[in-house]
PDB file of all heavy atoms in Angstrom:
ATOM      1  N   VAL A 130       1.461   4.166   3.163  1.00 98.00           N
ATOM      2  CA  VAL A 130       1.766   2.790   3.541  1.00 98.00           C
ATOM      3  C   VAL A 130       2.980   2.325   2.713  1.00 98.00           C
ATOM      4  O   VAL A 130       2.958   2.336   1.508  1.00 98.00           O
ATOM      5  CB  VAL A 130       0.562   1.837   3.417  1.00 98.00           C
ATOM      6  CG1 VAL A 130      -0.473   2.098   4.461  1.00 98.00           C
ATOM      7  CG2 VAL A 130      -0.063   1.849   2.026  1.00 98.00           C
ATOM      8  N   ALA A 131       4.035   1.989   3.454  1.00 98.00           N
ATOM      9  CA  ALA A 131       5.302   1.653   2.803  1.00 98.00           C
ATOM     10  C   ALA A 131       5.935   0.404   3.486  1.00 98.00           C
ATOM     11  O   ALA A 131       7.121   0.290   3.580  1.00 98.00           O
ATOM     12  CB  ALA A 131       6.248   2.833   2.904  1.00 98.00           C
ATOM     13  N   GLY A 132       5.032  -0.456   3.974  1.00 97.00           N
ATOM     14  CA  GLY A 132       5.512  -1.631   4.696  1.00 97.00           C
ATOM     15  C   GLY A 132       5.720  -2.873   3.835  1.00 97.00           C
ATOM     16  O   GLY A 132       6.221  -3.868   4.298  1.00 97.00           O
ATOM     17  N   GLY A 133       5.301  -2.767   2.559  1.00 95.00           N
ATOM     18  CA  GLY A 133       5.369  -3.969   1.721  1.00 95.00           C
ATOM     19  C   GLY A 133       6.833  -4.379   1.424  1.00 95.00           C
ATOM     20  O   GLY A 133       7.727  -3.547   1.474  1.00 95.00           O
ATOM     21  N   ASP A 134       7.013  -5.648   1.109  1.00 92.00           N
ATOM     22  CA  ASP A 134       8.343  -6.142   0.811  1.00 92.00           C
ATOM     23  C   ASP A 134       8.823  -5.758  -0.578  1.00 92.00           C
ATOM     24  O   ASP A 134      10.008  -5.846  -0.890  1.00 92.00           O
ATOM     25  CB  ASP A 134       8.393  -7.673   0.964  1.00 92.00           C
ATOM     26  CG  ASP A 134       8.397  -8.095   2.406  1.00 92.00           C
ATOM     27  OD1 ASP A 134       8.809  -7.267   3.269  1.00 92.00           O
ATOM     28  OD2 ASP A 134       7.979  -9.238   2.721  1.00 92.00           O
ATOM     29  N   GLY A 135       7.889  -5.352  -1.463  1.00 92.00           N
ATOM     30  CA  GLY A 135       8.270  -4.950  -2.807  1.00 92.00           C
ATOM     31  C   GLY A 135       8.961  -6.094  -3.556  1.00 92.00           C
ATOM     32  O   GLY A 135       9.925  -5.910  -4.282  1.00 92.00           O
ATOM     33  N   THR A 136       8.427  -7.307  -3.371  1.00 88.00           N
ATOM     34  CA  THR A 136       9.086  -8.513  -3.928  1.00 88.00           C
ATOM     35  C   THR A 136       9.223  -8.440  -5.439  1.00 88.00           C
ATOM     36  O   THR A 136      10.274  -8.818  -5.977  1.00 88.00           O
ATOM     37  CB  THR A 136       8.232  -9.773  -3.586  1.00 88.00           C
ATOM     38  OG1 THR A 136       7.379  -9.463  -2.530  1.00 88.00           O
ATOM     39  CG2 THR A 136       9.095 -10.926  -3.270  1.00 88.00           C
ATOM     40  N   ARG A 137       8.191  -7.946  -6.110  1.00 91.00           N
ATOM     41  CA  ARG A 137       8.250  -7.931  -7.587  1.00 91.00           C
ATOM     42  C   ARG A 137       9.339  -7.012  -8.091  1.00 91.00           C
ATOM     43  O   ARG A 137       9.996  -7.280  -9.072  1.00 91.00           O
ATOM     44  CB  ARG A 137       6.902  -7.516  -8.175  1.00 91.00           C
ATOM     45  CG  ARG A 137       5.845  -8.599  -8.117  1.00 91.00           C
ATOM     46  CD  ARG A 137       4.495  -8.110  -8.424  1.00 91.00           C
ATOM     47  NE  ARG A 137       3.933  -7.307  -7.355  1.00 91.00           N
ATOM     48  CZ  ARG A 137       2.833  -6.596  -7.430  1.00 91.00           C
ATOM     49  NH1 ARG A 137       2.152  -6.540  -8.534  1.00 91.00           N
ATOM     50  NH2 ARG A 137       2.387  -5.892  -6.380  1.00 91.00           N
ATOM     51  N   LYS A 144      11.124   0.212  -1.062  1.00 98.00           N
ATOM     52  CA  LYS A 144      10.751   0.713  -2.377  1.00 98.00           C
ATOM     53  C   LYS A 144      10.856   2.250  -2.464  1.00 98.00           C
ATOM     54  O   LYS A 144      11.242   2.790  -3.504  1.00 98.00           O
ATOM     55  CB  LYS A 144       9.318   0.255  -2.685  1.00 98.00           C
ATOM     56  CG  LYS A 144       9.020   0.091  -4.144  1.00 98.00           C
ATOM     57  CD  LYS A 144       7.520  -0.135  -4.362  1.00 98.00           C
ATOM     58  CE  LYS A 144       7.193  -1.529  -4.703  1.00 98.00           C
ATOM     59  NZ  LYS A 144       5.776  -1.696  -5.080  1.00 98.00           N
ATOM     60  N   MET A 181       3.895   4.161   7.381  1.00 98.00           N
ATOM     61  CA  MET A 181       3.907   2.790   7.934  1.00 98.00           C
ATOM     62  C   MET A 181       4.990   1.945   7.245  1.00 98.00           C
ATOM     63  O   MET A 181       5.067   1.882   6.031  1.00 98.00           O
ATOM     64  CB  MET A 181       2.535   2.119   7.716  1.00 98.00           C
ATOM     65  CG  MET A 181       2.472   0.745   8.384  1.00 98.00           C
ATOM     66  SD  MET A 181       0.846   0.000   8.360  1.00 98.00           S
ATOM     67  CE  MET A 181       0.799  -0.741   6.737  1.00 98.00           C
ATOM     68  N   GLN A 212       3.971  -1.980  11.092  1.00 97.00           N
ATOM     69  CA  GLN A 212       2.779  -2.808  11.027  1.00 97.00           C
ATOM     70  C   GLN A 212       3.100  -4.194  11.578  1.00 97.00           C
ATOM     71  O   GLN A 212       4.248  -4.488  11.890  1.00 97.00           O
ATOM     72  CB  GLN A 212       2.322  -2.945   9.570  1.00 97.00           C
ATOM     73  CG  GLN A 212       3.289  -3.646   8.686  1.00 97.00           C
ATOM     74  CD  GLN A 212       2.730  -3.787   7.233  1.00 97.00           C
ATOM     75  OE1 GLN A 212       3.258  -3.192   6.331  1.00 97.00           O
ATOM     76  NE2 GLN A 212       1.690  -4.567   7.059  1.00 97.00           N
ATOM     77  N   PRO A 236       5.077  -8.845   6.268  1.00 97.00           N
ATOM     78  CA  PRO A 236       4.131  -7.884   6.738  1.00 97.00           C
ATOM     79  C   PRO A 236       2.717  -8.331   6.455  1.00 97.00           C
ATOM     80  O   PRO A 236       2.433  -8.995   5.454  1.00 97.00           O
ATOM     81  CB  PRO A 236       4.508  -6.588   5.985  1.00 97.00           C
ATOM     82  CG  PRO A 236       5.524  -6.975   4.967  1.00 97.00           C
ATOM     83  CD  PRO A 236       6.062  -8.296   5.302  1.00 97.00           C
ATOM     84  N   ASN A 237       1.789  -7.947   7.362  1.00 96.00           N
ATOM     85  CA  ASN A 237       0.442  -8.509   7.301  1.00 96.00           C
ATOM     86  C   ASN A 237      -0.501  -7.763   6.333  1.00 96.00           C
ATOM     87  O   ASN A 237      -1.704  -7.788   6.518  1.00 96.00           O
ATOM     88  CB  ASN A 237      -0.156  -8.586   8.717  1.00 96.00           C
ATOM     89  CG  ASN A 237      -0.268  -7.223   9.377  1.00 96.00           C
ATOM     90  OD1 ASN A 237       0.120  -6.222   8.798  1.00 96.00           O
ATOM     91  ND2 ASN A 237      -0.826  -7.193  10.575  1.00 96.00           N
ATOM     92  N   GLY A 238       0.035  -7.110   5.332  1.00 96.00           N
ATOM     93  CA  GLY A 238      -0.812  -6.480   4.317  1.00 96.00           C
ATOM     94  C   GLY A 238      -1.092  -5.052   4.630  1.00 96.00           C
ATOM     95  O   GLY A 238      -0.965  -4.601   5.790  1.00 96.00           O
ATOM     96  N   HIS A 239      -1.505  -4.273   3.574  1.00 96.00           N
ATOM     97  CA  HIS A 239      -1.746  -2.823   3.872  1.00 96.00           C
ATOM     98  C   HIS A 239      -2.941  -2.651   4.810  1.00 96.00           C
ATOM     99  O   HIS A 239      -3.060  -1.619   5.467  1.00 96.00           O
ATOM    100  CB  HIS A 239      -1.862  -1.979   2.622  1.00 96.00           C
ATOM    101  CG  HIS A 239      -2.568  -2.585   1.455  1.00 96.00           C
ATOM    102  ND1 HIS A 239      -3.897  -2.888   1.515  1.00 96.00           N
ATOM    103  CD2 HIS A 239      -2.153  -2.899   0.225  1.00 96.00           C
ATOM    104  CE1 HIS A 239      -4.263  -3.409   0.328  1.00 96.00           C
ATOM    105  NE2 HIS A 239      -3.211  -3.412  -0.464  1.00 96.00           N
ATOM    106  N   GLN A 267      -0.431   4.909  -1.272  1.00 98.00           N
ATOM    107  CA  GLN A 267       0.611   3.877  -1.232  1.00 98.00           C
ATOM    108  C   GLN A 267       1.912   4.457  -1.719  1.00 98.00           C
ATOM    109  O   GLN A 267       1.923   5.358  -2.588  1.00 98.00           O
ATOM    110  CB  GLN A 267       0.158   2.699  -2.110  1.00 98.00           C
ATOM    111  CG  GLN A 267      -1.204   2.159  -1.636  1.00 98.00           C
ATOM    112  CD  GLN A 267      -1.591   0.888  -2.310  1.00 98.00           C
ATOM    113  OE1 GLN A 267      -1.176   0.615  -3.450  1.00 98.00           O
ATOM    114  NE2 GLN A 267      -2.444   0.118  -1.640  1.00 98.00           N
ATOM    115  N   ILE A 268       2.996   3.943  -1.208  1.00 98.00           N
ATOM    116  CA  ILE A 268       4.311   4.553  -1.490  1.00 98.00           C
ATOM    117  C   ILE A 268       4.632   4.583  -2.989  1.00 98.00           C
ATOM    118  O   ILE A 268       5.313   5.478  -3.486  1.00 98.00           O
ATOM    119  CB  ILE A 268       5.430   3.771  -0.735  1.00 98.00           C
ATOM    120  CG1 ILE A 268       6.799   4.440  -0.930  1.00 98.00           C
ATOM    121  CG2 ILE A 268       5.544   2.331  -1.095  1.00 98.00           C
ATOM    122  CD1 ILE A 268       6.890   5.773  -0.394  1.00 98.00           C
ATOM    123  N   ASP A 269       4.117   3.595  -3.768  1.00 97.00           N
ATOM    124  CA  ASP A 269       4.683   3.416  -5.107  1.00 97.00           C
ATOM    125  C   ASP A 269       4.029   4.197  -6.235  1.00 97.00           C
ATOM    126  O   ASP A 269       4.404   4.091  -7.374  1.00 97.00           O
ATOM    127  CB  ASP A 269       4.735   1.914  -5.445  1.00 97.00           C
ATOM    128  CG  ASP A 269       3.424   1.216  -5.177  1.00 97.00           C
ATOM    129  OD1 ASP A 269       2.364   1.879  -5.119  1.00 97.00           O
ATOM    130  OD2 ASP A 269       3.436  -0.009  -5.054  1.00 97.00           O
ATOM    131  N   GLU A 394      -2.344 -11.848   4.158  1.00 95.00           N
ATOM    132  CA  GLU A 394      -2.408 -10.357   4.167  1.00 95.00           C
ATOM    133  C   GLU A 394      -3.832  -9.878   4.327  1.00 95.00           C
ATOM    134  O   GLU A 394      -4.745 -10.476   3.790  1.00 95.00           O
ATOM    135  CB  GLU A 394      -1.870  -9.844   2.835  1.00 95.00           C
ATOM    136  CG  GLU A 394      -0.400 -10.034   2.623  1.00 95.00           C
ATOM    137  CD  GLU A 394       0.125  -9.246   1.416  1.00 95.00           C
ATOM    138  OE1 GLU A 394      -0.678  -8.903   0.534  1.00 95.00           O
ATOM    139  OE2 GLU A 394       1.318  -8.954   1.394  1.00 95.00           O
ATOM    140  N   LYS A 422       5.894  -1.187  -9.629  1.00 96.00           N
ATOM    141  CA  LYS A 422       5.725  -2.538  -9.099  1.00 96.00           C
ATOM    142  C   LYS A 422       6.826  -3.530  -9.567  1.00 96.00           C
ATOM    143  O   LYS A 422       7.250  -4.378  -8.802  1.00 96.00           O
ATOM    144  CB  LYS A 422       4.368  -3.151  -9.540  1.00 96.00           C
ATOM    145  CG  LYS A 422       3.140  -2.377  -9.149  1.00 96.00           C
ATOM    146  CD  LYS A 422       2.802  -2.574  -7.706  1.00 96.00           C
ATOM    147  CE  LYS A 422       1.487  -1.858  -7.323  1.00 96.00           C
ATOM    148  NZ  LYS A 422       1.311  -1.731  -5.887  1.00 96.00           N
TER     149      LYS A 422
HETATM  150  P1  UTP B 501       1.688  -4.202  -2.995  1.00 95.00           P
HETATM  151  O1  UTP B 501       0.572  -5.111  -2.787  1.00 95.00           O
HETATM  152  O2  UTP B 501       1.931  -3.743  -4.397  1.00 95.00           O
HETATM  153  O3  UTP B 501       2.986  -4.848  -2.404  1.00 95.00           O
HETATM  154  O4  UTP B 501       1.522  -2.959  -2.054  1.00 95.00           O
HETATM  155  P2  UTP B 501       4.521  -4.469  -2.517  1.00 95.00           P
HETATM  156  O5  UTP B 501       5.154  -4.881  -1.241  1.00 95.00           O
HETATM  157  O6  UTP B 501       4.691  -3.016  -2.841  1.00 95.00           O
HETATM  158  O7  UTP B 501       5.040  -5.320  -3.708  1.00 95.00           O
HETATM  159  P3  UTP B 501       5.036  -6.894  -3.962  1.00 95.00           P
HETATM  160  O8  UTP B 501       3.587  -7.306  -4.067  1.00 95.00           O
HETATM  161  O9  UTP B 501       5.744  -7.549  -2.776  1.00 95.00           O
HETATM  162  O10 UTP B 501       5.774  -6.990  -5.222  1.00 95.00           O
HETATM  163  C1  UTP B 501       0.817  -1.824  -2.325  1.00 95.00           C
HETATM  164  C2  UTP B 501       1.171  -0.831  -1.269  1.00 95.00           C
HETATM  165  O11 UTP B 501       0.879  -1.318  -0.004  1.00 95.00           O
HETATM  166  C3  UTP B 501       1.983  -1.291   0.864  1.00 95.00           C
HETATM  167  C4  UTP B 501       3.180  -1.302  -0.080  1.00 95.00           C
HETATM  168  O12 UTP B 501       4.352  -0.792   0.591  1.00 95.00           O
HETATM  169  C5  UTP B 501       2.665  -0.445  -1.196  1.00 95.00           C
HETATM  170  O13 UTP B 501       2.707   0.917  -0.837  1.00 95.00           O
HETATM  171  N1  UTP B 501       1.987  -2.473   1.732  1.00 95.00           N
HETATM  172  C6  UTP B 501       1.783  -3.701   1.200  1.00 95.00           C
HETATM  173  C7  UTP B 501       2.210  -2.296   3.054  1.00 95.00           C
HETATM  174  O14 UTP B 501       2.381  -1.178   3.563  1.00 95.00           O
HETATM  175  N2  UTP B 501       2.182  -3.407   3.861  1.00 95.00           N
HETATM  176  C8  UTP B 501       2.004  -4.667   3.364  1.00 95.00           C
HETATM  177  O15 UTP B 501       1.997  -5.612   4.162  1.00 95.00           O
HETATM  178  C9  UTP B 501       1.787  -4.807   1.999  1.00 95.00           C
END
Side-chain angles (χ1 to χ4, degrees):
V130 290
D134 284 337
T136 341
R137 284 169 287 171
K144 209 189 253 187
M181 184 172 83
Q212 65 178 112
N237 61 359
H239 39 64
Q267 303 188 334
I268 185 64
D269 49 22
E394 291 191 337
K422 300 284 183 195

